[in-house]
Amino acid sequence: MKLTRPLRAAVAAMLLTLGLGAVHVDVASAVPLPEPAAAPSASAGLLDAMRRDLGLTASQAEERLRAEMAAAAVEKTARQAAGGAYGGSWYEPSTGRLVVAVTDRAQESEVRALGADTRIVRHSAAALDRAKARLDTLRAPTGVAGWHVDPRTNSVVVTVVRTEREAPAVRAFVDRARAGGPVTVVETAQAPRTYAAGTVGGDPYYTGNVRCSIGFSVYGGFVTAGHCGQAGAAVRGWDGSAMGTFQGSSFPGNDYAYVGIHSGWWTVPVVLGWGTIPDQLVRGSAEAPVGASICRSGSTTHWHCGTVLAKNETVNYSQGAVYQMTKTSVCAEGGDSGGSFLSGDQAQGVTSGGWGNCSSGGQTWFQPINEILGRYGLTLHTA
């Protein structure tokens, strides 16, 4: 982010307001910020978006964020406790608890002792992952929007475009899917598409004639969507000046990229929204479970919230399949590509694509942040 002197002062004031204390920021390389003694309440912007999109009061939103953080902490140890009987897990908003599916009743008590509820299922998560992996080797027709493992139904869910369900190629794909394991077929109104946009003025960054959104600051630059630009492509900032270069990019197959920034631009551990002072501090990248609330910030539609619907979904774009995506009920529009997905103050991923819009609703997928960091050896800039 490149700021004028008044905006730098505003950012410093914002960081003080959010409980970071006095901070000195060097333009060339931002200084890591100290870990606060206690995490502050969620920002007003995040709570307002959750109120609008999830129908929650501010107190209900804060309570949910605390419960989801606890569920995310339990998920890893619960998976280990279940061992080979692990059938997947999800956050249940009605109870505020993590639900862990197991194939063997002998593992129930150990998992419950960790603070999770349990459900007995027929198929293990490993078996469902193998069934999905077989689908990943197939070439899907355009009428198939994607597929993922769903722990709630204990099956591989194949999503088809409603108007294409009876097309011979779609029916043949579904038949092959069912031959490889338990499959549930659901319909969607539209096929997914990426959310890049032509240059229309504004911010936050441009490459060629494409406008996209910054995802998360990493030391040395930021991460964003791969379909926004190829490696070596120059990037212009919100003010039109030279900002950096795509150091790495992958699309399709993946949808992530890393942009290295030039001197004069700097990074901060906040979500970069749409050219104004960011709203939310980023304190880590703990992965939220299925069912958790999640919010997105992008340069076109700003803040919107929803829930995590599925993980490890293969999304069948017209340009080709993209793997290991997370599906959400959050809306997005052109230009939001690459933008930030957050659960509380934890980075989740960068916006890839979806269907619908923020007037009538829709669904959006993101590429998980930890995969991107690992691929390029990056360090997330956190508060």
Side-chain angles (χ1 to χ4, degrees), residues 119-155:
R119 180 180 296 177
I120 298 297
V121 295
R122 180 177 179 182
H123 306 286
S124 70
L128 294 176
D129 285 343
R130 288 193 294 270
K132 178 189 175 292
R134 286 191 287 271
L135 287 188
D136 286 345
T137 66
L138 305 180
R139 184 175 180 84
T142 56
V144 176
W147 51 94
H148 66 273
V149 170
D150 180 18
R152 290 188 178 98
T153 63
N154 196 227
S155 67

Side-chain angles (χ1 to χ4, degrees), residues 199-275:
T199 301
V200 295
D203 44 39
Y205 83 89
Y206 306 86
T207 177
N209 66 342
V210 171
R211 172 171 63 87
C212 282
S213 300
I214 292 172
F216 293 96
S217 289
V218 296
Y219 287 99
F222 63 86
V223 293
T224 186
H227 70 262
C228 291
Q230 297 181 342
V235 171
R236 305 187 308 279
W238 59 269
D239 60 354
S241 66
M243 183 182 195
T245 305
F246 277 86
Q247 300 298 311
S249 179
S250 179
F251 178 80
N254 305 294
D255 195 5
Y256 52 60
Y258 162 49
V259 174
I261 57 175
H262 298 325
S263 176
W265 292 84
W266 57 300
T267 65
V268 289
V270 293
V271 169
L272 302 179
W274 22 276

Side-chain angles (χ1 to χ4, degrees), residues 63-64 67-68 90-99 117 119 152 291:
E63 182 179 352
R64 177 160 178 164
E68 289 172 352
W90 64 93
Y91 174 78
E92 183 54 61
S94 63
T95 62
R97 292 168 62 87
L98 185 74
V99 181
D117 295 331
R119 180 180 296 177
R152 290 188 178 98

Side-chain angles (χ1 to χ4, degrees), residues 132 147-149 192 195 255 287-294 296 307-315 317 322-330 341-343 347-354 363-371:
K132 178 189 175 292
W147 51 94
H148 66 273
V149 170
Y195 281 132
D255 195 5
E287 186 177 335
V290 170
S293 64
I294 195 163
R296 179 194 55 73
T307 57
V308 178
L309 299 177
K311 295 183 181 182
N312 191 23
E313 176 151 12
T314 299
V315 180
Y317 292 128
V322 176
Y323 307 100
Q324 297 179 331
M325 301 272 272
T326 298
K327 182 180 184 178
T328 77
S329 64
V330 186
F341 264 94
L342 285 163
S343 183
Q348 299 298 306
V350 300
T351 303
S352 173
Q363 295 177 340
T364 303
W365 285 262
F366 68 80
Q367 187 88 69
I369 182 67
N370 290 327
E371 179 184 359

